[in-house]
Amino acid sequence: MSISVDPDWWRTLFDEIYLVTDKRSVADVNITRHEIDILGHILPLEPDARILDLCGGQGRHTLELCRRGFRNCTVLDYSRPLLSLGHGDAARQNLPVSFIQGDARSLAIDSASFDHVLILGNSLGYLADREADLQILTECRRVLSARGWLLLDVADGGAVRRQMTPNAWHEIDGEVVVCREREIREGCVCAREMVLRKSSGLVRDQNYRIRLYSADDLVALVARAGFTDIQQHDPQSASLARGKDVGCMQQRLLISARTP
Ligand SMILES: C[S@@+](CC[C@H](N)C(=O)[O-])C[C@H]1O[C@@H](n2cnc3c(N)ncnc32)[C@H](O)[C@@H]1O
């Protein structure tokens, strides 16, 4: 088996169908609340903090932060469909969130504009070029103020390597079936995703590739981007501090770092 992947897959995959295929993790408000609880244990968030949710999709984390009183939040993402959904949700809830379309490798944002940059929900490692993630982290450093905070939440590559099965499928709402065929190649997980609607047939047949990071690799990359005070956090102990289970953060690497 060799799953071939268009290097630009990430430009088209994140749309309304993705919100269905990944509904279990990205459309469950309880999971998002739990993730923000964990984040609140790690970052010293002041009420007026300027927060950038980079690769923030439909802004689920930012909307939750905003509901908790953090009113200076921006979501940046490449996907116009997700941004448009997030914009609609924010308007309906009367939440003052800015949504910006852009590429995380080159941000149209002034230097030192934010106190915190968040990259959550496994949003690194999509670009074929190995140096692209370094470019993204270097941009994070540039848009952060002095002693600003970066928080990365990325799948634990070691756990993925140990636990991944070559084939998996799940059903959503009794109507949609998501089948994934996967292999690990050149440090990446490559997958073919087929999405079928029982009533109407094939909805999507697309391949994607995500780079797998070990904790050491990710820490080294963050250091290369010029960050200091790099710390790895245990999602379990962060959440146990509030007596909750670890939910979808179980197989994650949570790394915080600061600008010099
Ligand atoms: C798995 S989703 C996670 C979204 C969000 N962080 C969450 O947890 O719900 C990954 C997101 O990263 C965005 N993305 C990937 N590469 C990007 C890039 N180079 N620039 C901007 N956004 C990007 C995608 O459009 C997608 O919305």
PDB file of all heavy atoms in Angstrom, residues 174-205:
ATOM      1  N   GLY A 174     -25.751   7.810  12.458  1.00  0.00           N
ATOM      2  CA  GLY A 174     -26.470   6.747  11.750  1.00  0.00           C
ATOM      3  C   GLY A 174     -26.589   6.979  10.247  1.00  0.00           C
ATOM      4  O   GLY A 174     -27.256   6.218   9.546  1.00  0.00           O
ATOM      5  N   GLU A 175     -25.949   7.996   9.701  1.00  0.00           N
ATOM      6  CA  GLU A 175     -26.159   8.356   8.294  1.00  0.00           C
ATOM      7  C   GLU A 175     -24.856   8.432   7.499  1.00  0.00           C
ATOM      8  O   GLU A 175     -24.798   8.071   6.332  1.00  0.00           O
ATOM      9  CB  GLU A 175     -26.921   9.706   8.244  1.00  0.00           C
ATOM     10  CG  GLU A 175     -26.914  10.447   6.914  1.00  0.00           C
ATOM     11  CD  GLU A 175     -27.620   9.709   5.777  1.00  0.00           C
ATOM     12  OE1 GLU A 175     -28.203   8.639   6.028  1.00  0.00           O
ATOM     13  OE2 GLU A 175     -27.533  10.187   4.626  1.00  0.00           O
ATOM     14  N   VAL A 176     -23.792   8.890   8.153  1.00  0.00           N
ATOM     15  CA  VAL A 176     -22.531   9.091   7.441  1.00  0.00           C
ATOM     16  C   VAL A 176     -21.514   8.060   7.937  1.00  0.00           C
ATOM     17  O   VAL A 176     -21.389   7.825   9.139  1.00  0.00           O
ATOM     18  CB  VAL A 176     -21.990  10.529   7.692  1.00  0.00           C
ATOM     19  CG1 VAL A 176     -20.616  10.712   7.075  1.00  0.00           C
ATOM     20  CG2 VAL A 176     -22.969  11.557   7.131  1.00  0.00           C
ATOM     21  N   VAL A 177     -20.797   7.433   6.978  1.00  0.00           N
ATOM     22  CA  VAL A 177     -19.771   6.456   7.333  1.00  0.00           C
ATOM     23  C   VAL A 177     -18.420   7.004   6.866  1.00  0.00           C
ATOM     24  O   VAL A 177     -18.282   7.429   5.719  1.00  0.00           O
ATOM     25  CB  VAL A 177     -20.044   5.084   6.677  1.00  0.00           C
ATOM     26  CG1 VAL A 177     -18.963   4.077   7.068  1.00  0.00           C
ATOM     27  CG2 VAL A 177     -21.416   4.565   7.076  1.00  0.00           C
ATOM     28  N   VAL A 178     -17.451   7.020   7.786  1.00  0.00           N
ATOM     29  CA  VAL A 178     -16.116   7.539   7.481  1.00  0.00           C
ATOM     30  C   VAL A 178     -15.136   6.364   7.542  1.00  0.00           C
ATOM     31  O   VAL A 178     -15.009   5.714   8.582  1.00  0.00           O
ATOM     32  CB  VAL A 178     -15.696   8.615   8.512  1.00  0.00           C
ATOM     33  CG1 VAL A 178     -14.326   9.198   8.161  1.00  0.00           C
ATOM     34  CG2 VAL A 178     -16.750   9.721   8.603  1.00  0.00           C
ATOM     35  N   CYS A 179     -14.489   6.068   6.400  1.00  0.00           N
ATOM     36  CA  CYS A 179     -13.537   4.947   6.354  1.00  0.00           C
ATOM     37  C   CYS A 179     -12.144   5.519   6.122  1.00  0.00           C
ATOM     38  O   CYS A 179     -11.967   6.349   5.214  1.00  0.00           O
ATOM     39  CB  CYS A 179     -13.855   4.006   5.193  1.00  0.00           C
ATOM     40  SG  CYS A 179     -15.548   3.455   5.181  1.00  0.00           S
ATOM     41  N   ARG A 180     -11.187   5.077   6.917  1.00  0.00           N
ATOM     42  CA  ARG A 180      -9.814   5.571   6.737  1.00  0.00           C
ATOM     43  C   ARG A 180      -8.847   4.401   6.592  1.00  0.00           C
ATOM     44  O   ARG A 180      -8.893   3.442   7.365  1.00  0.00           O
ATOM     45  CB  ARG A 180      -9.388   6.453   7.907  1.00  0.00           C
ATOM     46  CG  ARG A 180     -10.187   7.750   7.964  1.00  0.00           C
ATOM     47  CD  ARG A 180      -9.681   8.704   9.022  1.00  0.00           C
ATOM     48  NE  ARG A 180     -10.495   9.925   9.013  1.00  0.00           N
ATOM     49  CZ  ARG A 180     -11.081  10.464  10.077  1.00  0.00           C
ATOM     50  NH1 ARG A 180     -10.944   9.898  11.268  1.00  0.00           N
ATOM     51  NH2 ARG A 180     -11.792  11.566   9.964  1.00  0.00           N
ATOM     52  N   GLU A 181      -7.991   4.536   5.567  1.00  0.00           N
ATOM     53  CA  GLU A 181      -6.903   3.582   5.341  1.00  0.00           C
ATOM     54  C   GLU A 181      -5.635   4.376   5.637  1.00  0.00           C
ATOM     55  O   GLU A 181      -5.503   5.519   5.166  1.00  0.00           O
ATOM     56  CB  GLU A 181      -6.944   3.194   3.861  1.00  0.00           C
ATOM     57  CG  GLU A 181      -5.959   2.162   3.452  1.00  0.00           C
ATOM     58  CD  GLU A 181      -6.038   1.913   1.934  1.00  0.00           C
ATOM     59  OE1 GLU A 181      -6.536   2.777   1.183  1.00  0.00           O
ATOM     60  OE2 GLU A 181      -5.572   0.854   1.517  1.00  0.00           O
ATOM     61  N   ARG A 182      -4.710   3.806   6.442  1.00  0.00           N
ATOM     62  CA  ARG A 182      -3.584   4.648   6.884  1.00  0.00           C
ATOM     63  C   ARG A 182      -2.278   3.892   6.835  1.00  0.00           C
ATOM     64  O   ARG A 182      -2.237   2.661   7.023  1.00  0.00           O
ATOM     65  CB  ARG A 182      -3.841   5.101   8.329  1.00  0.00           C
ATOM     66  CG  ARG A 182      -5.140   5.838   8.485  1.00  0.00           C
ATOM     67  CD  ARG A 182      -5.409   6.236   9.900  1.00  0.00           C
ATOM     68  NE  ARG A 182      -5.824   5.115  10.723  1.00  0.00           N
ATOM     69  CZ  ARG A 182      -6.639   5.217  11.775  1.00  0.00           C
ATOM     70  NH1 ARG A 182      -7.116   6.391  12.119  1.00  0.00           N
ATOM     71  NH2 ARG A 182      -6.957   4.165  12.473  1.00  0.00           N
ATOM     72  N   GLU A 183      -1.211   4.643   6.622  1.00  0.00           N
ATOM     73  CA  GLU A 183       0.131   4.072   6.719  1.00  0.00           C
ATOM     74  C   GLU A 183       1.068   5.147   7.256  1.00  0.00           C
ATOM     75  O   GLU A 183       0.797   6.348   7.114  1.00  0.00           O
ATOM     76  CB  GLU A 183       0.630   3.592   5.349  1.00  0.00           C
ATOM     77  CG  GLU A 183       0.795   4.700   4.345  1.00  0.00           C
ATOM     78  CD  GLU A 183       1.320   4.191   2.997  1.00  0.00           C
ATOM     79  OE1 GLU A 183       1.671   3.018   2.873  1.00  0.00           O
ATOM     80  OE2 GLU A 183       1.361   5.019   2.057  1.00  0.00           O
ATOM     81  N   ILE A 184       2.171   4.698   7.857  1.00  0.00           N
ATOM     82  CA  ILE A 184       3.174   5.661   8.309  1.00  0.00           C
ATOM     83  C   ILE A 184       4.339   5.591   7.345  1.00  0.00           C
ATOM     84  O   ILE A 184       4.854   4.503   7.053  1.00  0.00           O
ATOM     85  CB  ILE A 184       3.599   5.370   9.754  1.00  0.00           C
ATOM     86  CG1 ILE A 184       2.409   5.676  10.668  1.00  0.00           C
ATOM     87  CG2 ILE A 184       4.814   6.215  10.144  1.00  0.00           C
ATOM     88  CD1 ILE A 184       2.621   5.435  12.121  1.00  0.00           C
ATOM     89  N   ARG A 185       4.702   6.747   6.801  1.00  0.00           N
ATOM     90  CA  ARG A 185       5.758   6.806   5.787  1.00  0.00           C
ATOM     91  C   ARG A 185       6.548   8.091   5.966  1.00  0.00           C
ATOM     92  O   ARG A 185       5.968   9.153   6.098  1.00  0.00           O
ATOM     93  CB  ARG A 185       5.098   6.781   4.411  1.00  0.00           C
ATOM     94  CG  ARG A 185       5.981   6.264   3.310  1.00  0.00           C
ATOM     95  CD  ARG A 185       5.254   6.141   1.983  1.00  0.00           C
ATOM     96  NE  ARG A 185       4.841   7.400   1.432  1.00  0.00           N
ATOM     97  CZ  ARG A 185       3.629   7.674   0.968  1.00  0.00           C
ATOM     98  NH1 ARG A 185       2.684   6.761   1.010  1.00  0.00           N
ATOM     99  NH2 ARG A 185       3.339   8.851   0.454  1.00  0.00           N
ATOM    100  N   GLU A 186       7.858   7.965   5.980  1.00  0.00           N
ATOM    101  CA  GLU A 186       8.749   9.128   6.054  1.00  0.00           C
ATOM    102  C   GLU A 186       8.344  10.087   7.165  1.00  0.00           C
ATOM    103  O   GLU A 186       8.264  11.307   6.966  1.00  0.00           O
ATOM    104  CB  GLU A 186       8.777   9.856   4.707  1.00  0.00           C
ATOM    105  CG  GLU A 186       9.369   8.998   3.586  1.00  0.00           C
ATOM    106  CD  GLU A 186       9.034   9.548   2.208  1.00  0.00           C
ATOM    107  OE1 GLU A 186       8.507  10.661   2.108  1.00  0.00           O
ATOM    108  OE2 GLU A 186       9.313   8.833   1.238  1.00  0.00           O
ATOM    109  N   GLY A 187       8.062   9.532   8.337  1.00  0.00           N
ATOM    110  CA  GLY A 187       7.754  10.376   9.492  1.00  0.00           C
ATOM    111  C   GLY A 187       6.378  11.014   9.465  1.00  0.00           C
ATOM    112  O   GLY A 187       6.098  11.918  10.273  1.00  0.00           O
ATOM    113  N   CYS A 188       5.527  10.558   8.562  1.00  0.00           N
ATOM    114  CA  CYS A 188       4.174  11.142   8.455  1.00  0.00           C
ATOM    115  C   CYS A 188       3.130  10.032   8.496  1.00  0.00           C
ATOM    116  O   CYS A 188       3.413   8.893   8.090  1.00  0.00           O
ATOM    117  CB  CYS A 188       4.001  11.874   7.129  1.00  0.00           C
ATOM    118  SG  CYS A 188       5.135  13.245   6.902  1.00  0.00           S
ATOM    119  N   VAL A 189       1.937  10.374   8.955  1.00  0.00           N
ATOM    120  CA  VAL A 189       0.829   9.454   8.772  1.00  0.00           C
ATOM    121  C   VAL A 189       0.116   9.887   7.489  1.00  0.00           C
ATOM    122  O   VAL A 189      -0.235  11.051   7.311  1.00  0.00           O
ATOM    123  CB  VAL A 189      -0.114   9.381  10.009  1.00  0.00           C
ATOM    124  CG1 VAL A 189      -0.676  10.730  10.397  1.00  0.00           C
ATOM    125  CG2 VAL A 189      -1.250   8.418   9.768  1.00  0.00           C
ATOM    126  N   CYS A 190      -0.001   8.933   6.551  1.00  0.00           N
ATOM    127  CA  CYS A 190      -0.689   9.192   5.287  1.00  0.00           C
ATOM    128  C   CYS A 190      -2.016   8.442   5.345  1.00  0.00           C
ATOM    129  O   CYS A 190      -2.042   7.278   5.772  1.00  0.00           O
ATOM    130  CB  CYS A 190       0.117   8.663   4.102  1.00  0.00           C
ATOM    131  SG  CYS A 190       1.770   9.360   4.026  1.00  0.00           S
ATOM    132  N   ALA A 191      -3.078   9.109   4.944  1.00  0.00           N
ATOM    133  CA  ALA A 191      -4.384   8.462   5.050  1.00  0.00           C
ATOM    134  C   ALA A 191      -5.222   8.709   3.810  1.00  0.00           C
ATOM    135  O   ALA A 191      -5.119   9.747   3.165  1.00  0.00           O
ATOM    136  CB  ALA A 191      -5.125   9.000   6.277  1.00  0.00           C
ATOM    137  N   ARG A 192      -6.017   7.702   3.461  1.00  0.00           N
ATOM    138  CA  ARG A 192      -7.076   7.892   2.470  1.00  0.00           C
ATOM    139  C   ARG A 192      -8.376   7.913   3.259  1.00  0.00           C
ATOM    140  O   ARG A 192      -8.632   7.005   4.061  1.00  0.00           O
ATOM    141  CB  ARG A 192      -7.092   6.739   1.478  1.00  0.00           C
ATOM    142  CG  ARG A 192      -8.240   6.847   0.488  1.00  0.00           C
ATOM    143  CD  ARG A 192      -8.262   5.670  -0.458  1.00  0.00           C
ATOM    144  NE  ARG A 192      -9.330   5.811  -1.442  1.00  0.00           N
ATOM    145  CZ  ARG A 192      -9.733   4.838  -2.235  1.00  0.00           C
ATOM    146  NH1 ARG A 192      -9.140   3.660  -2.187  1.00  0.00           N
ATOM    147  NH2 ARG A 192     -10.716   5.035  -3.098  1.00  0.00           N
ATOM    148  N   GLU A 193      -9.179   8.946   3.047  1.00  0.00           N
ATOM    149  CA  GLU A 193     -10.438   9.073   3.778  1.00  0.00           C
ATOM    150  C   GLU A 193     -11.594   9.015   2.790  1.00  0.00           C
ATOM    151  O   GLU A 193     -11.664   9.829   1.874  1.00  0.00           O
ATOM    152  CB  GLU A 193     -10.456  10.408   4.529  1.00  0.00           C
ATOM    153  CG  GLU A 193     -11.741  10.644   5.295  1.00  0.00           C
ATOM    154  CD  GLU A 193     -11.691  11.945   6.087  1.00  0.00           C
ATOM    155  OE1 GLU A 193     -11.152  11.931   7.199  1.00  0.00           O
ATOM    156  OE2 GLU A 193     -12.187  12.971   5.575  1.00  0.00           O
ATOM    157  N   MET A 194     -12.452   8.019   2.990  1.00  0.00           N
ATOM    158  CA  MET A 194     -13.655   7.930   2.161  1.00  0.00           C
ATOM    159  C   MET A 194     -14.865   8.214   3.041  1.00  0.00           C
ATOM    160  O   MET A 194     -14.999   7.616   4.116  1.00  0.00           O
ATOM    161  CB  MET A 194     -13.783   6.547   1.549  1.00  0.00           C
ATOM    162  CG  MET A 194     -13.075   6.439   0.223  1.00  0.00           C
ATOM    163  SD  MET A 194     -13.637   5.029  -0.688  1.00  0.00           S
ATOM    164  CE  MET A 194     -12.803   3.756   0.212  1.00  0.00           C
ATOM    165  N   VAL A 195     -15.711   9.112   2.584  1.00  0.00           N
ATOM    166  CA  VAL A 195     -16.896   9.484   3.353  1.00  0.00           C
ATOM    167  C   VAL A 195     -18.122   9.122   2.525  1.00  0.00           C
ATOM    168  O   VAL A 195     -18.220   9.517   1.352  1.00  0.00           O
ATOM    169  CB  VAL A 195     -16.891  11.000   3.673  1.00  0.00           C
ATOM    170  CG1 VAL A 195     -18.067  11.363   4.558  1.00  0.00           C
ATOM    171  CG2 VAL A 195     -15.575  11.417   4.312  1.00  0.00           C
ATOM    172  N   LEU A 196     -19.009   8.356   3.125  1.00  0.00           N
ATOM    173  CA  LEU A 196     -20.218   7.923   2.406  1.00  0.00           C
ATOM    174  C   LEU A 196     -21.466   8.315   3.185  1.00  0.00           C
ATOM    175  O   LEU A 196     -21.485   8.193   4.417  1.00  0.00           O
ATOM    176  CB  LEU A 196     -20.208   6.400   2.232  1.00  0.00           C
ATOM    177  CG  LEU A 196     -19.012   5.884   1.454  1.00  0.00           C
ATOM    178  CD1 LEU A 196     -18.152   5.012   2.350  1.00  0.00           C
ATOM    179  CD2 LEU A 196     -19.462   5.131   0.241  1.00  0.00           C
ATOM    180  N   ARG A 197     -22.462   8.790   2.446  1.00  0.00           N
ATOM    181  CA  ARG A 197     -23.769   9.049   3.032  1.00  0.00           C
ATOM    182  C   ARG A 197     -24.650   7.861   2.656  1.00  0.00           C
ATOM    183  O   ARG A 197     -24.695   7.493   1.474  1.00  0.00           O
ATOM    184  CB  ARG A 197     -24.328  10.339   2.435  1.00  0.00           C
ATOM    185  CG  ARG A 197     -24.980  11.228   3.412  1.00  0.00           C
ATOM    186  CD  ARG A 197     -25.297  12.591   2.825  1.00  0.00           C
ATOM    187  NE  ARG A 197     -24.457  13.623   3.390  1.00  0.00           N
ATOM    188  CZ  ARG A 197     -24.550  14.081   4.631  1.00  0.00           C
ATOM    189  NH1 ARG A 197     -25.458  13.587   5.460  1.00  0.00           N
ATOM    190  NH2 ARG A 197     -23.740  15.020   5.062  1.00  0.00           N
ATOM    191  N   LYS A 198     -25.313   7.260   3.637  1.00  0.00           N
ATOM    192  CA  LYS A 198     -26.079   6.049   3.327  1.00  0.00           C
ATOM    193  C   LYS A 198     -27.153   6.333   2.287  1.00  0.00           C
ATOM    194  O   LYS A 198     -27.457   5.502   1.445  1.00  0.00           O
ATOM    195  CB  LYS A 198     -26.713   5.501   4.606  1.00  0.00           C
ATOM    196  CG  LYS A 198     -25.712   4.884   5.556  1.00  0.00           C
ATOM    197  CD  LYS A 198     -26.415   4.307   6.774  1.00  0.00           C
ATOM    198  CE  LYS A 198     -25.419   3.842   7.790  1.00  0.00           C
ATOM    199  NZ  LYS A 198     -26.064   3.474   9.060  1.00  0.00           N
ATOM    200  N   SER A 199     -27.723   7.525   2.326  1.00  0.00           N
ATOM    201  CA  SER A 199     -28.823   7.837   1.402  1.00  0.00           C
ATOM    202  C   SER A 199     -28.344   8.179  -0.008  1.00  0.00           C
ATOM    203  O   SER A 199     -29.054   7.947  -0.978  1.00  0.00           O
ATOM    204  CB  SER A 199     -29.642   8.998   1.955  1.00  0.00           C
ATOM    205  OG  SER A 199     -28.765  10.060   2.265  1.00  0.00           O
ATOM    206  N   SER A 200     -27.109   8.723  -0.134  1.00  0.00           N
ATOM    207  CA  SER A 200     -26.733   9.227  -1.464  1.00  0.00           C
ATOM    208  C   SER A 200     -25.371   8.760  -1.979  1.00  0.00           C
ATOM    209  O   SER A 200     -24.980   9.125  -3.081  1.00  0.00           O
ATOM    210  CB  SER A 200     -26.774  10.760  -1.450  1.00  0.00           C
ATOM    211  OG  SER A 200     -25.996  11.246  -0.384  1.00  0.00           O
ATOM    212  N   GLY A 201     -24.627   7.994  -1.192  1.00  0.00           N
ATOM    213  CA  GLY A 201     -23.364   7.436  -1.692  1.00  0.00           C
ATOM    214  C   GLY A 201     -22.135   8.266  -1.335  1.00  0.00           C
ATOM    215  O   GLY A 201     -22.127   9.002  -0.349  1.00  0.00           O
ATOM    216  N   LEU A 202     -21.113   8.163  -2.208  1.00  0.00           N
ATOM    217  CA  LEU A 202     -19.806   8.743  -1.896  1.00  0.00           C
ATOM    218  C   LEU A 202     -19.859  10.277  -1.826  1.00  0.00           C
ATOM    219  O   LEU A 202     -20.345  10.934  -2.735  1.00  0.00           O
ATOM    220  CB  LEU A 202     -18.797   8.323  -2.975  1.00  0.00           C
ATOM    221  CG  LEU A 202     -17.340   8.664  -2.689  1.00  0.00           C
ATOM    222  CD1 LEU A 202     -16.800   7.888  -1.497  1.00  0.00           C
ATOM    223  CD2 LEU A 202     -16.479   8.388  -3.925  1.00  0.00           C
ATOM    224  N   VAL A 203     -19.342  10.812  -0.734  1.00  0.00           N
ATOM    225  CA  VAL A 203     -19.307  12.260  -0.536  1.00  0.00           C
ATOM    226  C   VAL A 203     -17.886  12.780  -0.736  1.00  0.00           C
ATOM    227  O   VAL A 203     -17.685  13.866  -1.259  1.00  0.00           O
ATOM    228  CB  VAL A 203     -19.766  12.607   0.905  1.00  0.00           C
ATOM    229  CG1 VAL A 203     -19.649  14.090   1.190  1.00  0.00           C
ATOM    230  CG2 VAL A 203     -21.173  12.120   1.161  1.00  0.00           C
ATOM    231  N   ARG A 204     -16.910  11.978  -0.309  1.00  0.00           N
ATOM    232  CA  ARG A 204     -15.516  12.432  -0.416  1.00  0.00           C
ATOM    233  C   ARG A 204     -14.604  11.223  -0.489  1.00  0.00           C
ATOM    234  O   ARG A 204     -14.844  10.205   0.160  1.00  0.00           O
ATOM    235  CB  ARG A 204     -15.171  13.269   0.820  1.00  0.00           C
ATOM    236  CG  ARG A 204     -13.676  13.461   1.032  1.00  0.00           C
ATOM    237  CD  ARG A 204     -13.401  14.413   2.167  1.00  0.00           C
ATOM    238  NE  ARG A 204     -13.602  15.779   1.731  1.00  0.00           N
ATOM    239  CZ  ARG A 204     -13.655  16.830   2.541  1.00  0.00           C
ATOM    240  NH1 ARG A 204     -13.549  16.673   3.835  1.00  0.00           N
ATOM    241  NH2 ARG A 204     -13.816  18.034   2.052  1.00  0.00           N
ATOM    242  N   ASP A 205     -13.551  11.369  -1.302  1.00  0.00           N
ATOM    243  CA  ASP A 205     -12.499  10.355  -1.354  1.00  0.00           C
ATOM    244  C   ASP A 205     -11.207  11.155  -1.497  1.00  0.00           C
ATOM    245  O   ASP A 205     -10.861  11.588  -2.593  1.00  0.00           O
ATOM    246  CB  ASP A 205     -12.728   9.422  -2.557  1.00  0.00           C
ATOM    247  CG  ASP A 205     -11.716   8.283  -2.597  1.00  0.00           C
ATOM    248  OD1 ASP A 205     -10.775   8.280  -1.778  1.00  0.00           O
ATOM    249  OD2 ASP A 205     -11.878   7.393  -3.458  1.00  0.00           O
TER     250      ASP A 205
END
